[in-house]
Coordinates of all heavy atoms in Angstrom, one line a residue:
M1 N 21.1 18.3 -25.4 CA 21.6 19.5 -26.1 C 21.6 19.3 -27.6 O 22.1 18.2 -28.0 CB 23.0 19.8 -25.6 CG 23.7 21.0 -26.2 SD 25.3 21.4 -25.5 CE 25.8 22.9 -26.6
K2 N 21.1 20.2 -28.3 CA 21.1 20.2 -29.8 C 22.3 20.8 -30.3 O 22.8 21.8 -29.9 CB 19.8 20.9 -30.3 CG 18.5 20.2 -30.0 CD 18.3 19.1 -30.9 CE 17.1 18.3 -30.7 NZ 15.8 19.1 -30.7
C3 N 22.8 20.2 -31.4 CA 24.0 20.8 -32.1 C 23.8 22.1 -32.6 O 22.7 22.3 -33.4 CB 24.5 19.8 -33.2 SG 25.9 20.4 -34.2
P4 N 24.5 23.1 -32.4 CA 24.3 24.5 -32.9 C 24.5 24.6 -34.4 O 24.1 25.5 -35.0 CB 25.2 25.4 -32.1 CG 26.2 24.5 -31.7 CD 25.6 23.1 -31.5
F5 N 25.1 23.6 -35.0 CA 25.5 23.6 -36.4 C 24.4 22.9 -37.2 O 24.1 23.3 -38.3 CB 26.9 22.9 -36.6 CG 28.0 23.6 -36.0 CD1 28.5 23.2 -34.7 CD2 28.6 24.8 -36.5 CE1 29.5 23.9 -34.0 CE2 29.6 25.5 -35.8 CZ 30.0 25.0 -34.6
C6 N 23.9 21.7 -36.8 CA 23.0 20.9 -37.6 C 21.8 20.5 -36.8 O 20.9 19.9 -37.4 CB 23.8 19.7 -38.1 SG 24.0 18.5 -36.8
D7 N 21.6 20.9 -35.6 CA 20.3 20.7 -34.8 C 20.1 19.3 -34.4 O 19.0 18.9 -34.0 CB 19.2 21.3 -35.5 CG 18.1 21.8 -34.5 OD1 18.5 22.3 -33.4 OD2 16.9 21.6 -34.8
T8 N 21.1 18.4 -34.6 CA 20.9 17.0 -34.2 C 21.2 16.9 -32.6 O 22.1 17.7 -32.1 CB 22.0 16.1 -34.8 OG1 21.8 16.2 -36.3 CG2 22.0 14.7 -34.4
E9 N 20.5 16.0 -32.0 CA 20.7 15.7 -30.6 C 22.1 15.2 -30.3 O 22.6 14.3 -30.9 CB 19.7 14.8 -30.0 CG 19.6 14.6 -28.5 CD 19.3 15.9 -27.8 OE1 18.4 16.6 -28.3 OE2 19.8 16.2 -26.6
M10 N 22.9 15.9 -29.4 CA 24.2 15.6 -29.2 C 24.4 14.5 -28.1 O 23.5 14.3 -27.3 CB 25.0 16.8 -28.8 CG 25.0 17.9 -29.8 SD 25.9 19.4 -29.4 CE 27.6 18.9 -30.0
I11 N 25.5 13.8 -28.1 CA 25.7 12.7 -27.1 C 26.5 13.3 -26.0 O 27.6 13.9 -26.2 CB 26.5 11.6 -27.9 CG1 25.8 11.0 -29.1 CG2 26.8 10.4 -26.9 CD1 26.7 10.2 -29.9
H12 N 26.0 13.1 -24.8 CA 26.8 13.5 -23.6 C 27.9 12.6 -23.4 O 27.8 11.4 -23.4 CB 25.8 13.6 -22.4 CG 26.5 14.0 -21.1 ND1 26.9 13.0 -20.2 CD2 26.9 15.2 -20.7 CE1 27.5 13.7 -19.2 NE2 27.5 15.1 -19.5
G13 N 29.1 13.2 -22.9 CA 30.2 12.3 -22.6 C 31.3 13.2 -21.9 O 31.1 14.3 -21.6
Y14 N 32.5 12.6 -22.0 CA 33.7 13.3 -21.3 C 34.8 13.2 -22.2 O 35.2 12.2 -22.7 CB 33.9 12.6 -19.9 CG 32.7 12.6 -19.1 CD1 31.8 11.5 -19.1 CD2 32.5 13.6 -18.2 CE1 30.7 11.6 -18.3 CE2 31.4 13.6 -17.4 CZ 30.5 12.7 -17.4 OH 29.4 12.6 -16.6
L15 N 35.6 14.4 -22.3 CA 36.9 14.4 -22.8 C 37.8 13.9 -21.7 O 38.0 14.5 -20.7 CB 37.3 15.8 -23.3 CG 38.7 15.9 -23.8 CD1 38.9 15.2 -25.1 CD2 39.1 17.4 -24.0
N16 N 38.4 12.7 -22.0 CA 39.4 12.2 -21.1 C 40.8 12.5 -21.5 O 41.2 12.1 -22.6 CB 39.2 10.6 -21.0 CG 37.9 10.2 -20.6 OD1 37.6 9.9 -19.4 ND2 36.9 10.1 -21.5
C17 N 41.5 13.3 -20.7 CA 42.8 13.8 -21.2 C 43.7 14.0 -20.0 O 43.4 14.1 -18.8 CB 42.6 15.1 -22.0 SG 41.8 16.5 -21.0
G18 N 45.0 14.1 -20.4 CA 46.0 14.5 -19.4 C 46.2 16.0 -19.4 O 45.2 16.7 -19.4
N19 N 47.4 16.5 -19.2 CA 47.7 17.9 -19.2 C 47.2 18.5 -20.5 O 47.4 17.8 -21.6 CB 49.1 18.3 -18.8 CG 50.1 17.9 -19.8 OD1 49.9 16.8 -20.4 ND2 51.2 18.6 -19.9
A20 N 46.7 19.7 -20.5 CA 46.2 20.3 -21.8 C 46.1 21.7 -21.6 O 46.0 22.3 -20.5 CB 44.8 19.7 -22.1
I21 N 46.0 22.5 -22.8 CA 45.7 23.9 -22.8 C 45.1 24.2 -24.0 O 45.6 23.7 -25.1 CB 47.0 24.8 -22.4 CG1 46.6 26.2 -22.2 CG2 48.0 24.6 -23.6 CD1 47.7 27.1 -21.7
W22 N 44.1 25.0 -24.1 CA 43.6 25.7 -25.3 C 44.3 26.9 -25.4 O 44.2 27.7 -24.3 CB 42.1 25.8 -25.3 CG 41.6 26.5 -26.6 CD1 41.2 25.9 -27.8 CD2 41.6 27.9 -26.8 NE1 41.0 26.8 -28.7 CE2 41.2 28.1 -28.2 CE3 41.9 29.1 -26.1 CZ2 41.1 29.3 -28.8 CZ3 41.8 30.3 -26.7 CH2 41.4 30.4 -28.0
S23 N 44.9 27.3 -26.4 CA 45.6 28.6 -26.5 C 45.5 29.1 -27.9 O 45.2 28.4 -28.9 CB 47.1 28.3 -26.2 OG 47.8 29.6 -26.4
E24 N 45.7 30.4 -28.0 CA 45.6 31.1 -29.3 C 47.0 30.9 -30.1 O 47.1 31.2 -31.2 CB 45.5 32.6 -29.2 CG 46.5 33.3 -28.3 CD 46.1 34.7 -28.0 OE1 45.2 35.3 -28.6 OE2 46.8 35.4 -27.2
R25 N 47.9 30.2 -29.4 CA 49.2 29.9 -30.1 C 49.5 28.4 -30.0 O 48.9 27.7 -29.1 CB 50.4 30.7 -29.6 CG 50.8 30.4 -28.2 CD 52.0 31.3 -27.8 NE 52.5 31.0 -26.4 CZ 53.4 30.0 -26.2 NH1 53.9 29.2 -27.2 NH2 53.7 29.8 -24.9
K26 N 50.4 27.9 -30.8 CA 50.9 26.5 -30.6 C 52.0 26.4 -29.7 O 52.9 27.2 -29.7 CB 51.4 26.0 -32.0 CG 50.3 25.9 -33.2 CD 50.9 25.5 -34.4 CE 49.9 25.3 -35.5 NZ 50.5 24.9 -36.8
H27 N 51.8 25.4 -28.8 CA 52.8 25.2 -27.8 C 53.8 24.0 -28.3 O 53.2 23.0 -28.7 CB 52.3 24.7 -26.5 CG 51.7 26.0 -25.7 ND1 52.1 26.2 -24.4 CD2 50.9 27.0 -26.1 CE1 51.5 27.3 -24.0 NE2 50.7 27.7 -24.9
K28 N 55.0 24.3 -28.4 CA 56.0 23.2 -28.9 C 56.4 22.3 -27.8 O 56.6 21.1 -28.1 CB 57.2 23.9 -29.5 CG 56.9 24.8 -30.7 CD 56.8 24.1 -32.0 CE 56.8 25.0 -33.2 NZ 55.6 25.9 -33.3
I29 N 56.6 22.8 -26.6 CA 57.2 21.9 -25.6 C 56.3 21.6 -24.4 O 55.7 20.6 -24.1 CB 58.5 22.4 -25.1 CG1 59.5 22.5 -26.3 CG2 59.1 21.6 -23.9 CD1 60.8 23.2 -26.1
S30 N 56.0 22.7 -23.6 CA 55.2 22.6 -22.4 C 53.8 23.1 -22.6 O 53.5 23.7 -23.7 CB 55.8 23.3 -21.2 OG 55.5 24.7 -21.3
T31 N 52.9 22.9 -21.7 CA 51.5 23.5 -21.8 C 51.4 24.7 -20.9 O 50.3 25.1 -20.5 CB 50.5 22.5 -21.5 OG1 50.7 22.0 -20.2 CG2 50.5 21.4 -22.5
L32 N 52.6 25.3 -20.4 CA 52.5 26.5 -19.6 C 52.3 27.8 -20.4 O 53.0 27.9 -21.3 CB 53.8 26.6 -18.8 CG 54.0 25.5 -17.7 CD1 55.4 25.7 -17.0 CD2 52.9 25.5 -16.6
P33 N 51.3 28.5 -20.1 CA 51.0 29.7 -20.9 C 52.1 30.8 -20.5 O 52.6 30.8 -19.5 CB 49.6 30.2 -20.4 CG 49.4 29.6 -19.1 CD 50.3 28.4 -19.1
D34 N 52.4 31.7 -21.5 CA 53.2 32.8 -21.2 C 52.4 33.9 -20.7 O 51.2 33.8 -20.5 CB 54.1 33.2 -22.4 CG 53.3 33.8 -23.5 OD1 52.2 34.3 -23.3 OD2 53.9 33.6 -24.7
S35 N 53.1 35.1 -20.4 CA 52.4 36.2 -19.7 C 51.3 36.9 -20.5 O 50.5 37.7 -20.0 CB 53.3 37.1 -19.1 OG 54.2 37.7 -20.1
V36 N 51.4 36.8 -21.8 CA 50.6 37.7 -22.7 C 49.5 36.9 -23.5 O 48.5 37.4 -23.9 CB 51.4 38.5 -23.7 CG1 52.3 39.4 -22.9 CG2 52.3 37.6 -24.5
E37 N 49.7 35.6 -23.7 CA 48.8 34.8 -24.5 C 47.4 34.6 -23.9 O 47.3 34.6 -22.6 CB 49.3 33.5 -24.9 CG 49.4 32.5 -23.8 CD 49.9 31.1 -24.2 OE1 49.3 30.5 -25.1 OE2 51.0 30.8 -23.7
K38 N 46.4 34.5 -24.7 CA 45.0 34.2 -24.2 C 44.9 32.7 -24.2 O 45.3 32.0 -25.2 CB 44.0 34.8 -25.0 CG 43.8 36.3 -25.0 CD 43.2 36.6 -23.6 CE 43.1 38.1 -23.5 NZ 42.7 38.6 -22.1
Y39 N 44.4 32.1 -23.0 CA 44.3 30.6 -23.0 C 43.0 30.3 -22.2 O 42.5 31.1 -21.4 CB 45.5 30.0 -22.3 CG 45.7 30.4 -20.9 CD1 45.2 29.6 -19.9 CD2 46.4 31.5 -20.5 CE1 45.3 29.9 -18.5 CE2 46.6 31.8 -19.2 CZ 46.1 31.0 -18.2 OH 46.2 31.4 -16.9
A40 N 42.6 29.0 -22.3 CA 41.5 28.4 -21.6 C 41.9 27.0 -21.3 O 42.8 26.4 -21.9 CB 40.2 28.6 -22.3
L41 N 41.1 26.4 -20.5 CA 41.1 24.9 -20.3 C 42.6 24.5 -19.9 O 43.2 23.6 -20.5 CB 40.7 24.1 -21.4 CG 40.6 22.6 -21.2 CD1 39.5 22.2 -20.2 CD2 40.2 21.8 -22.5
H42 N 43.3 25.2 -19.0 CA 44.6 24.9 -18.7 C 44.6 23.8 -17.6 O 44.1 24.1 -16.5 CB 45.4 26.1 -18.2 CG 46.8 25.9 -17.9 ND1 47.4 26.4 -16.8 CD2 47.7 25.1 -18.5 CE1 48.7 26.0 -16.8 NE2 48.9 25.2 -17.8
L43 N 45.0 22.6 -17.9 CA 45.1 21.5 -17.0 C 46.4 21.1 -16.8 O 47.2 20.8 -17.7 CB 44.3 20.3 -17.7 CG 42.8 20.6 -18.0 CD1 42.3 19.4 -18.8 CD2 42.0 20.8 -16.8
E44 N 46.8 20.9 -15.5 CA 48.1 20.3 -15.1 C 48.0 18.8 -15.3 O 46.9 18.2 -15.5 CB 48.3 20.5 -13.6 CG 48.3 22.0 -13.2 CD 49.4 22.8 -13.7 OE1 50.4 22.3 -14.1 OE2 49.2 24.1 -13.8
T45 N 49.2 18.2 -15.3 CA 49.2 16.7 -15.4 C 48.5 16.1 -14.3 O 48.7 16.4 -13.1 CB 50.7 16.2 -15.4 OG1 51.4 16.8 -16.4 CG2 50.8 14.7 -15.5
P46 N 47.5 15.2 -14.6 CA 46.7 14.6 -13.5 C 47.5 13.7 -12.5 O 48.4 13.1 -13.0 CB 45.6 13.8 -14.2 CG 46.2 13.6 -15.6 CD 47.1 14.7 -15.9
L47 N 47.2 13.8 -11.3 CA 47.9 12.9 -10.3 C 47.6 11.4 -10.4 O 48.4 10.6 -10.4 CB 47.7 13.4 -8.9 CG 48.3 14.8 -8.7 CD1 47.9 15.3 -7.3 CD2 49.8 14.9 -8.8
L48 N 46.2 11.1 -10.5 CA 45.7 9.8 -10.6 C 45.1 9.5 -11.9 O 45.8 9.0 -12.8 CB 44.8 9.6 -9.4 CG 45.4 9.9 -8.0 CD1 44.3 9.8 -6.9 CD2 46.5 8.8 -7.7
S49 N 43.8 9.6 -12.0 CA 43.1 9.2 -13.3 C 43.1 10.4 -14.2 O 43.4 11.6 -13.7 CB 41.7 8.8 -13.0 OG 41.0 9.9 -12.4
P50 N 42.8 10.3 -15.5 CA 42.8 11.4 -16.4 C 41.8 12.5 -16.0 O 40.9 12.2 -15.1 CB 42.4 10.8 -17.7 CG 42.8 9.4 -17.6 CD 42.6 9.0 -16.2
H51 N 41.9 13.7 -16.5 CA 40.8 14.6 -16.3 C 39.5 14.2 -17.1 O 39.7 13.6 -18.1 CB 41.2 16.1 -16.8 CG 42.4 16.7 -16.1 ND1 42.3 17.2 -14.8 CD2 43.7 16.8 -16.5 CE1 43.5 17.6 -14.4 NE2 44.3 17.4 -15.4
H52 N 38.4 14.6 -16.6 CA 37.1 14.2 -17.3 C 36.4 15.5 -17.5 O 35.8 16.1 -16.6 CB 36.3 13.3 -16.4 CG 37.1 12.1 -16.0 ND1 37.3 11.8 -14.6 CD2 37.6 11.1 -16.7 CE1 38.0 10.7 -14.5 NE2 38.3 10.2 -15.8
I53 N 36.5 16.0 -18.7 CA 35.8 17.3 -19.1 C 34.4 17.0 -19.7 O 34.3 16.3 -20.8 CB 36.7 18.1 -20.1 CG1 38.2 18.1 -19.7 CG2 36.1 19.5 -20.3 CD1 38.5 18.8 -18.4
E54 N 33.4 17.5 -19.0 CA 32.0 17.2 -19.5 C 31.8 17.9 -20.9 O 32.2 19.1 -21.0 CB 31.0 17.8 -18.4 CG 29.6 17.4 -18.8 CD 28.7 17.6 -17.5 OE1 29.0 18.3 -16.7 OE2 27.7 16.8 -17.5
S55 N 31.2 17.1 -21.8 CA 31.1 17.7 -23.2 C 30.0 16.9 -23.9 O 29.5 16.0 -23.5 CB 32.5 17.6 -23.8 OG 32.9 16.2 -23.8
F56 N 29.8 17.5 -25.1 CA 28.8 17.0 -26.0 C 29.4 16.8 -27.3 O 30.1 17.7 -27.9 CB 27.6 17.9 -26.0 CG 26.8 18.0 -24.8 CD1 27.1 18.8 -23.8 CD2 25.7 17.1 -24.5 CE1 26.4 18.9 -22.6 CE2 25.0 17.1 -23.4 CZ 25.4 18.0 -22.4
C57 N 29.1 15.6 -28.0 CA 29.6 15.3 -29.3 C 28.4 15.1 -30.3 O 27.5 14.4 -30.0 CB 30.4 14.0 -29.2 SG 31.1 13.6 -30.8
C58 N 28.5 15.8 -31.4 CA 27.5 15.6 -32.5 C 27.8 14.4 -33.3 O 28.8 14.3 -34.0 CB 27.5 16.9 -33.3 SG 26.3 16.7 -34.7
P59 N 26.9 13.4 -33.4 CA 27.1 12.2 -34.2 C 27.1 12.5 -35.6 O 27.6 11.6 -36.5 CB 26.1 11.2 -33.7 CG 25.0 12.1 -33.3 CD 25.6 13.4 -32.7
K60 N 26.5 13.5 -36.1 CA 26.3 13.9 -37.5 C 27.5 14.6 -38.1 O 28.2 14.2 -38.9 CB 25.0 14.6 -37.7 CG 24.7 14.8 -39.2 CD 23.3 15.5 -39.4 CE 23.0 15.7 -40.8 NZ 21.7 16.5 -40.9
C61 N 27.8 15.8 -37.5 CA 29.0 16.6 -38.0 C 30.2 16.4 -37.2 O 31.2 17.0 -37.5 CB 28.5 18.0 -38.2 SG 27.9 18.9 -36.8
Q62 N 30.1 15.5 -36.1 CA 31.3 15.2 -35.4 C 32.1 16.4 -34.8 O 33.4 16.4 -35.1 CB 32.2 14.2 -36.3 CG 31.4 13.0 -36.5 CD 32.1 12.0 -37.5 OE1 33.4 12.0 -37.5 NE2 31.4 11.3 -38.2
K63 N 31.4 17.3 -34.3 CA 32.0 18.4 -33.5 C 31.8 18.1 -32.0 O 30.8 17.5 -31.7 CB 31.3 19.7 -33.9 CG 31.8 20.2 -35.3 CD 31.0 21.5 -35.7 CE 31.6 22.1 -37.0 NZ 31.8 21.2 -38.1
I64 N 32.7 18.6 -31.2 CA 32.6 18.4 -29.8 C 32.5 19.9 -29.2 O 33.3 20.7 -29.5 CB 33.8 17.6 -29.2 CG1 33.9 16.2 -29.7 CG2 33.8 17.6 -27.8 CD1 35.1 15.5 -29.4
I65 N 31.6 20.0 -28.2 CA 31.4 21.2 -27.5 C 31.9 21.0 -26.1 O 31.3 20.1 -25.4 CB 30.0 21.8 -27.6 CG1 29.7 22.1 -29.0 CG2 29.8 22.9 -26.7 CD1 28.4 22.7 -29.3
L66 N 32.7 21.8 -25.6 CA 33.2 21.7 -24.2 C 32.8 22.9 -23.4 O 33.0 24.1 -23.9 CB 34.8 21.7 -24.2 CG 35.5 20.6 -25.0 CD1 37.0 21.0 -25.1 CD2 35.3 19.3 -24.5
D67 N 32.4 22.8 -22.2 CA 32.1 23.8 -21.3 C 33.4 23.9 -20.4 O 33.5 23.1 -19.5 CB 30.9 23.7 -20.5 CG 30.6 24.9 -19.5 OD1 31.6 25.8 -19.4 OD2 29.6 24.8 -18.8
V68 N 34.2 25.0 -20.7 CA 35.5 25.0 -19.9 C 35.5 26.1 -18.8 O 36.6 26.5 -18.3 CB 36.7 25.1 -20.9 CG1 36.8 23.9 -21.8 CG2 36.6 26.4 -21.6
S69 N 34.3 26.6 -18.5 CA 34.2 27.7 -17.6 C 34.8 27.5 -16.2 O 35.2 28.4 -15.5 CB 32.7 28.2 -17.5 OG 31.9 27.1 -17.0
E70 N 34.8 26.2 -15.8 CA 35.3 25.9 -14.4 C 36.8 25.6 -14.4 O 37.4 25.4 -13.3 CB 34.5 24.8 -13.8 CG 34.7 23.4 -14.4 CD 33.8 22.3 -13.8 OE1 32.7 22.2 -14.3 OE2 34.3 21.7 -12.9
Y71 N 37.5 25.7 -15.5 CA 38.9 25.5 -15.6 C 39.7 26.8 -15.7 O 39.2 27.8 -16.1 CB 39.2 24.5 -16.7 CG 38.4 23.2 -16.5 CD1 37.2 23.0 -17.2 CD2 38.8 22.2 -15.6 CE1 36.5 21.9 -17.0 CE2 38.1 21.1 -15.4 CZ 37.0 20.9 -16.2 OH 36.2 19.8 -16.0
D72 N 41.0 26.6 -15.4 CA 41.9 27.8 -15.4 C 41.9 28.5 -16.8 O 42.0 27.8 -17.8 CB 43.3 27.4 -15.0 CG 44.2 28.6 -14.9 OD1 43.8 29.6 -14.4 OD2 45.4 28.4 -15.2
H73 N 41.8 29.8 -16.7 CA 41.8 30.6 -18.0 C 42.2 32.0 -17.7 O 42.2 32.4 -16.5 CB 40.4 30.6 -18.7 CG 39.4 31.3 -18.1 ND1 39.2 32.7 -18.2 CD2 38.5 31.0 -17.1 CE1 38.2 33.2 -17.4 NE2 37.8 32.1 -16.7
N74 N 42.4 32.8 -18.8 CA 42.7 34.3 -18.6 C 41.9 35.1 -19.7 O 42.4 36.1 -20.1 CB 44.2 34.6 -18.6 CG 44.8 34.5 -19.9 OD1 44.2 34.0 -20.8 ND2 46.0 35.1 -20.1
L75 N 40.7 34.7 -20.0 CA 40.0 35.3 -21.0 C 39.2 36.5 -20.5 O 38.7 37.2 -21.4 CB 38.9 34.2 -21.5 CG 39.4 33.0 -22.1 CD1 38.3 32.0 -22.4 CD2 40.3 33.2 -23.3
D76 N 39.2 36.8 -19.3 CA 38.5 37.9 -18.8 C 39.1 39.3 -19.2 O 40.3 39.4 -19.3 CB 38.4 37.9 -17.3 CG 37.6 36.8 -16.8 OD1 36.6 36.4 -17.3 OD2 38.0 36.2 -15.7
Ligands
ZN101 ZN1 26.1 18.6 -35.7

């Protein structure tokens, strides 16, 4: 995959993480979304090993692109 910002070939890898949420707001305590916020990549605390989110990292401009389409969201 080519970086959409600088066209450099990106490095395939995984975001290794525990519970997480991408949200339009900052969460102070928990990662549970409320009823009105838009969110994506909502991950519960893993039971065994960390979550492994397939992704690409640009070695030049150091941006990471995540495909989060298979994870819990309410963007529709
Ligand atoms: Zn780049």
Side-chain angles (χ1 to χ4, degrees):
M1 179 174 177
K2 291 282 176 60
C3 176
F5 299 97
C6 71
D7 210 37
T8 299
E9 189 63 33
M10 301 184 84
I11 303 166
H12 178 259
Y14 301 90
L15 177 66
N16 298 267
C17 62
N19 66 329
I21 188 169
W22 179 92
S23 174
E24 58 187 353
R25 71 177 179 88
K26 294 179 179 179
H27 283 233
K28 298 277 194 289
I29 298 170
S30 82
T31 59
L32 293 175
D34 66 28
S35 60
V36 295
E37 71 179 299
K38 288 291 182 190
Y39 68 91
L41 187 66
H42 184 218
L43 299 175
E44 304 292 342
T45 302
L47 294 176
L48 299 172
S49 64
H51 296 287
H52 307 118
I53 315 298
E54 191 164 22
S55 53
F56 292 85
C57 182
C58 175
K60 188 174 177 186
C61 56
Q62 296 173 32
K63 290 176 168 45
I64 296 173
I65 293 181
L66 308 170
D67 180 354
V68 299
S69 57
E70 66 184 89
Y71 303 98
D72 183 36
H73 70 87
N74 74 344
L75 301 174
D76 295 322

